[in-house]
Amino acid sequence: MFRRVIGYSFTSAFVIVIAYLAYLSTAHPLMELISNPFNLFLFALVAIFLFLAVFKGLTLLSQKANWIIFIALVAVVVIIQLFLAITMKMNMYVDSFVVKQQVLTMLANGGHFQDYTYFQTYLNNIFVTILRYGIYNLGSHVGIHNFYLLDNLWIMFSMFVTIFALVYVVKDALGVRMANLFLLVVITCVPLFTYTLYFYTDTIAMPFVSLIILVYYLYLKKGSWWLLLIIGLLFAIGYQAKPNLIILLPALLIHVWLARNYKKFLLSLAAIGAVFLLVTSAAMPFYSLFGFEKNDRYEVPPTHFVMMGLAKPAGRYNADEFNYTSSFHSKEAKKEANVKVIKDRLKNYSTKELLTLYNNKLKNTWTDGTRAYAWYINSTNNFTPTFNYLFGDRKALIYSFAQIFHIMSLLCIAIGALRFFRSKKFDFAFFLNVTLVGVILFHLIWEANQRYILLFTPLMLLSALYGIKFIVELMADRETNNWLPKLRRPFLAGSAFIFLAAIVCFGLQFSTLAQEKRPFHVYQVKQDYAYIGTPVMVDSIVAETFSANESFNQLTFKVLQKPDDSRKYRIALYDDTSGKKLRQFDLKGSEFVGSDQVINLAKPVHADGGRYKLKFTEITKGDKGHGHALSLGRYNSKNFSLYPSGQLYVNGKVVEHTNIGFTVSTFREQPLLSVAEFWILFAAFTSILMGLWLCLLKESPAGRIFTGQEAKEESLV
């Protein structure tokens, strides 16, 4: 009885929280979308009915036909990932950029860390660096020097393991039809594919999460104690890849206690703990083989991230917080300083302020269906149509698609959790939800970031699948497993109304999608990463070279510090081959506005593979101007350029492997879609909904919702 009360209480709170996250994702999304909250919610409902109709359609097909569909869906997942891996050469910002630079240094000096203060600060980045070095080194030995391809193929493999470990669980527990449905849910999850282009701790750790889930599922099914040792090994290696993965452990132990007994709980704790401690104790000696040594002078303790998690307005990364922690010269001193700030903040925050902070953290972590992929993966020198839709000016379309299915998954997770009130079982779906609660609580305490829940996104999709399954179960008679006649007509009427409303709302988007003009760029250069100041003064002239294959009419450069109004600057564009001045612009300090300074060219520069130079000079008359000088943004690199076709110069001297933040493009305004594209999409959308509704209308063989293995009630506890 006590455990059942825990189950009821947990489920009630969980449903409320997940429903609130669905509300925040609908009413307060972080990114630009082309739909209003009403349309987002409507299309999320459509998505739920869509999956229900697809499953109904799968029940109309034979087992053999479902296996053919299964193979086809697997091929679709692989083809999408392979297409992105082969065709996209993307660079990453922030930590992943630092990791790649260190790896290139290791390749040049025999595999040893060098100038690695950053890694002594953030120990969690050592494993990913050594792994990446191993991949690059192996690639070099077999003649593959395309590091972009090596990165992408490894993460593609990681995503493959991540997805299909869970597909195996679904297939084994619920049958091939549900496995097909899960694959369709996966295909709608945009970040699982876009993050194929992101080599960092999150993506290399994802397979460990899914493999832990798979092995734990097998343990629940078979009860073999040695499976706990494998779980411990996966936890130990996965922890080196991404320490946040450890959130799974308490969730797993809680579920063992609820679903089994205290003896099983203690056995699980002992077996997993022993292997975990054994492997993790060997980690640092292993890292030392690559020349790495710990240094408490630089290491950031976990309390630092808790302190940042309590910083206004949303507990995100903050440079001032990092500088504060770094000002102390030992790990213990840092910990004490962090704890003091944590206590002060908790003491000084009013209840309203604390709730506002937590609400902001929920929004910043859970309301972005893209997991902020376009912020972390946004640097390239190949501006393909795929780039335009995933990362460029047309990405609002993909963003909206991702957000709709993100809201759908949250709604299905909440619906699926309600199943406990009916089954009263601490089953596998219950375990998934316990894990998600752990993730929510952890990120309320820890530093908040949309990308941080990427690690557990596949679990969210699996939990959402159980929500769809629960809706199907509600439509079925528990004795005969047939469609309930009293629910069939209301369900058909409701789905028809939802589908019709969606078709009408889609049609009403004609003006927004096919007539309303929006900014659109055809890029020649897009180098957005700029966080270090490069001053432009009378005695400090800055120039940046670039190449352009097509005409351009707009130049943009990053301004880290706006100049004082008393100063004046000249921005000149030269043909770098002939030295001829092509354009010149004189700007007063007061004319610099914002962090992106845009210069529109009255007449486009007709380029055809030529080389050009942007030159920034201060032309303040008389004495030097008062106040701040102009400071352009650039990044810091020792061996890797984000824009290798250009070069930064300061007073005529080359700054190696570095560029300012700037873009060169043809700017125009145009709709997101052409009229023809809109009506093709509208016709396809309408046809799909009509076809799926006809599937709902048609009776399954013998009226059964499930057939074969799908008719069985999974028994994992």
Side-chain angles (χ1 to χ4, degrees):
M1 182 63 186
F2 173 69
R3 294 183 181 184
R4 188 169 293 181
V5 170
I6 291 176
Y8 289 148
S9 302
F10 169 86
T11 300
S12 300
F14 179 77
V15 170
I16 291 171
V17 171
I18 297 297
Y20 183 66
L21 294 179
Y23 160 75
L24 289 178
S25 300
T26 305
H28 303 285
L30 291 179
M31 65 288 211
E32 179 194 11
L33 301 173
I34 56 175
S35 296
N36 58 42
F38 174 79
N39 285 346
L40 286 174
F41 184 71
L42 174 63
F43 284 108
L45 291 180
V46 169
I48 294 174
F49 279 95
L50 181 148
F51 284 115
L52 292 172
V54 167
F55 181 74
K56 177 66 181 298
L58 294 173
T59 65
L60 300 175
L61 302 175
S62 66
Q63 190 82 344
K64 181 179 179 180
N66 271 278
W67 273 110
I68 293 172
I69 291 173
F70 178 82
I71 294 170
L73 290 174
V74 170
V76 168
V77 171
V78 174
I79 288 170
I80 294 174
Q81 290 182 330
L82 195 59
F83 171 77
L84 292 174
I86 293 175
T87 64
M88 302 295 287
K89 296 181 179 180
M90 304 296 296
N91 291 310
M92 305 89 183
Y93 293 160
V94 200
D95 305 88
S96 183
F97 179 60
V98 179
V99 167
K100 186 169 185 177
Q101 290 185 85
Q102 181 65 219
V103 169
L104 294 177
T105 300
M106 293 170 71
L107 283 174
N109 68 9
H112 284 76
F113 278 83
Q114 197 171 57
D115 298 328
Y116 53 88
T117 301
Y118 167 85
F119 296 91
Q120 290 173 324
T121 303
Y122 298 112
L123 298 179
N124 61 298
N125 288 305
I126 305 170
F127 181 88
V128 66
T129 304
I130 293 174
L131 174 64
R132 202 169 188 177
Y133 163 73
I135 294 168
Y136 285 10
N137 192 38
L138 177 61
S140 298
H141 279 90
V142 298
I144 302 175
H145 301 282
N146 185 338
F147 297 143
Y148 294 102
L149 183 61
L150 290 171
D151 281 344
N152 294 349
L153 289 178
W154 181 268
I155 301 304
M156 175 186 166
F157 171 73
S158 297
M159 289 294 186
F160 188 91
V161 174
T162 299
I163 292 168
F164 290 102
L166 299 184
V167 168
Y168 177 86
V169 172
V170 176
K171 162 62 184 66
D172 190 70
L174 306 175
V176 67
R177 289 174 174 81
M178 274 293 174
N180 285 338
L181 199 66
F182 181 64
L183 282 168
L184 286 170
V185 172
V186 166
I187 290 171
T188 66
C189 186
V190 171
L192 284 188
F193 296 93
T194 52
Y195 269 105
T196 298
L197 307 172
Y198 185 72
F199 197 114
Y200 191 51
T201 56
D202 309 80
T203 46
I204 67 166
M206 290 177 73
F208 292 98
V209 173
S210 290
L211 289 172
I212 289 170
I213 296 297
L214 169 59
V215 179
Y216 182 56
Y217 164 79
L218 295 176
Y219 171 71
L220 291 173
K221 182 179 180 182
K222 299 179 180 180
S224 302
W225 66 269
W226 56 267
L227 290 171
L228 295 173
L229 301 180
I230 297 177
I231 293 174
L233 181 63
L234 291 170
F235 266 118
I237 301 174
Y239 180 81
Q240 299 303 313
K242 184 77 174 178
N244 294 8
L245 172 144
I246 204 67
I247 297 170
L248 265 173
L249 181 56
L252 185 150
L253 294 174
I254 289 170
H255 185 253
V256 168
W257 170 63
L258 290 171
R260 296 298 174 95
N261 53 50
Y262 286 104
K263 289 183 179 180
K264 293 288 185 181
F265 168 82
L266 294 174
L267 174 64
S268 302
L269 179 61
I272 295 173
V275 176
F276 181 85
L277 293 174
L278 180 65
V279 175
T280 52
S281 64
M284 205 53 64
F286 173 73
Y287 297 154
S288 68
L289 298 177
F290 297 87
F292 180 84
E293 293 182 6
K294 282 185 66 175
N295 190 331
D296 289 349
R297 164 66 180 85
Y298 301 109
E299 185 179 349
V300 172
T303 50
H304 167 74
F305 300 99
V306 178
M307 182 184 75
M308 274 203 299
L310 284 169
K312 291 181 179 179
R316 295 178 69 94
Y317 173 82
N318 186 300
D320 292 335
E321 302 274 299
F322 172 75
N323 291 334
Y324 170 77
T325 299
S326 300
S327 66
F328 298 91
H329 294 175
S330 73
K331 188 175 180 181
E332 286 303 317
K334 291 174 185 178
K335 189 183 300 182
E336 290 177 10
N338 293 156
V339 171
K340 182 179 182 303
V341 174
I342 291 168
K343 289 179 178 179
D344 288 343
R345 286 177 177 169
L346 290 173
K347 180 180 178 181
N348 295 328
Y349 280 152
S350 66
T351 302
K352 182 180 179 181
E353 288 175 328
L354 199 57
L355 290 175
T356 300
L357 172 68
Y358 288 149
N359 191 63
N360 288 340
K361 294 186 75 170
L362 288 174
K363 285 196 290 186
N364 273 270
T365 308
W366 293 93
T367 65
D368 187 345
T370 72
R371 306 298 187 263
Y373 76 81
W375 192 93
Y376 289 96
I377 319 165
N378 195 25
S379 177
T380 189
N381 298 301
N382 300 315
F383 303 103
T384 63
T386 306
F387 172 87
N388 290 332
Y389 282 97
L390 291 180
F391 306 98
D393 294 331
R394 297 186 190 275
K395 66 178 179 289
L397 292 167
I398 298 297
Y399 274 18
S400 300
F401 178 88
Q403 194 69 4
I404 287 168
F405 284 94
H406 171 65
I407 296 167
M408 181 278 300
S409 68
L410 289 173
L411 293 174
C412 287
I413 290 170
I415 293 169
L418 294 172
R419 184 171 178 270
F420 179 81
F421 291 111
R422 190 186 195 201
S423 68
K424 300 176 180 59
K425 289 184 178 180
F426 297 104
D427 57 11
F428 194 69
F430 189 90
F431 160 65
L432 296 174
N433 294 337
V434 171
T435 302
L436 293 180
V437 166
V439 178
I440 292 170
L441 292 176
F442 178 82
H443 288 102
L444 282 178
I445 299 169
W446 208 252
E447 173 194 355
N449 191 304
Q450 303 100 299
R451 193 195 79 228
Y452 292 168
I453 65 168
L454 174 68
L455 187 64
F456 299 98
T457 293
L459 272 63
M460 294 175 65
L461 300 182
L462 188 53
S463 180
L465 180 74
Y466 277 93
I468 298 171
K469 179 179 181 294
F470 182 48
I471 296 174
V472 174
E473 288 174 352
L474 292 175
M475 302 271 311
D477 183 279
R478 294 184 65 83
E479 298 297 329
T480 64
N481 200 40
N482 296 330
W483 290 96
L484 289 170
K486 65 179 180 180
L487 292 180
R488 186 171 181 272
R489 288 187 178 181
F491 179 76
L492 289 172
S495 59
F497 175 78
I498 293 293
F499 285 177
L500 181 61
I503 291 170
V504 171
C505 285
F506 194 116
L508 293 176
Q509 298 298 311
F510 174 76
S511 176
T512 301
L513 292 171
Q515 290 184 321
E516 184 180 299
K517 293 185 176 180
R518 304 160 60 93
F520 183 75
H521 298 80
V522 177
Y523 290 103
Q524 300 299 302
V525 181
K526 189 176 185 293
Q527 200 307 94
D528 289 330
Y529 199 32
Y531 59 91
I532 296 178
T534 305
V536 181
M537 299 182 288
V538 173
D539 57 355
S540 180
I541 299 171
V542 177
E544 172 73 44
T545 61
F546 65 92
S547 61
N549 294 318
E550 298 180 12
S551 299
F552 57 90
N553 63 8
Q554 188 178 87
L555 305 169
T556 304
F557 52 91
K558 297 287 184 180
V559 175
L560 285 196
Q561 182 172 267
K562 178 183 177 296
D564 188 83
D565 291 353
S566 65
R567 294 179 180 267
K568 189 174 182 180
Y569 291 87
R570 175 166 294 160
I571 297 98
L573 175 67
Y574 295 86
D575 184 313
D576 196 39
T577 304
S578 66
K580 179 182 178 181
K581 186 185 290 186
L582 303 176
R583 302 285 193 278
Q584 177 178 299
F585 305 90
D586 292 347
L587 298 178
K588 299 176 182 178
S590 58
E591 294 179 277
F592 286 85
V593 182
S595 60
D596 292 311
Q597 187 69 28
V598 179
I599 296 178
N600 291 305
L601 308 180
K603 293 182 179 180
V605 174
H606 298 288
D608 187 16
R611 291 191 58 79
Y612 302 88
K613 179 187 288 184
L614 273 173
K615 189 175 181 180
F616 301 84
T617 311
E618 183 175 7
I619 56 172
T620 307
K621 292 182 179 180
D623 296 333
K624 290 183 179 180
H626 302 290
H628 296 298
L630 170 66
S631 183
L632 300 175
R634 68 173 177 86
Y635 58 88
N636 185 40
S637 180
K638 295 180 180 179
N639 53 15
F640 174 60
S641 174
L642 289 172
Y643 180 61
S645 298
Q647 185 63 65
L648 172 64
Y649 296 84
V650 177
N651 288 335
K653 294 182 179 180
V654 173
V655 182
E656 292 287 351
H657 307 296
T658 306
N659 309 95
I660 63 169
F662 75 116
T663 64
V664 178
S665 64
T666 297
F667 171 79
R668 58 177 178 264
E669 292 188 338
Q670 64 183 49
L672 280 168
L673 299 173
S674 67
V675 172
E677 288 171 335
F678 174 85
W679 288 116
I680 290 172
L681 279 178
F682 179 79
F685 179 74
T686 303
S687 299
I688 289 171
L689 293 191
M690 290 179 64
L692 290 175
W693 192 80
L694 291 176
C695 282
L696 290 173
L697 189 64
K698 191 173 181 180
E699 286 282 5
S700 300
R704 294 179 68 82
I705 296 177
F706 296 112
T707 58
Q709 187 174 358
E710 292 91 333
K712 299 177 182 178
E713 188 77 17
E714 74 272 26
S715 176
L716 296 173
V717 294

